[in-house]
Amino acid sequence: DVIDVPAFRVEVVNFLGAGDAFAGAFAYAHLNGWDWARALTFANAAGALIVSRHGTANEMPTLAEIEALIANK
C-alpha cells in the first residue's frame, strides 16, 4: 500500500542528521503504537526540523517542536 503524508517546507542549512531524525522519530511513533500515516508524518516533521538547523545530535527536535510543526502545517 502507498501512504501519502505531508511534506514540510523548510530552509535547508545542513542535511546531516536527517535520516537519524527520521528513523528515531519513526521508531518512537511505532513503539507507541501509532498508525502508519501518523508515524510517517511525525518522522517527516522530525527530518524537516533537523535539516533547518546547523547542528546534528545536539539539535535534534523535541516532541513539542515536532508536534508544533505538524499543527502549523
Side-chain angles (χ1 to χ4, degrees):
D1 294 334
V2 174
I3 301 171
D4 288 320
V5 296
F8 298 90
R9 287 193 177 269
V10 295
E11 181 179 340
V12 177
V13 296
N14 180 5
F15 63 85
L16 297 175
D20 292 337
F22 182 96
F26 185 80
Y28 173 86
H30 180 67
L31 290 171
N32 280 287
W34 298 1
D35 64 59
W36 289 110
R38 183 178 177 198
L40 290 168
T41 299
F42 187 77
N44 275 355
L49 284 168
I50 196 63
V51 300
S52 69
R53 300 172 177 181
H54 288 287
T56 54
N58 292 334
E59 297 296 325
M60 286 292 171
T62 65
L63 177 62
E65 290 171 328
I66 298 168
E67 290 175 340
L69 181 61
I70 293 168
N72 291 321
K73 177 72 178 141

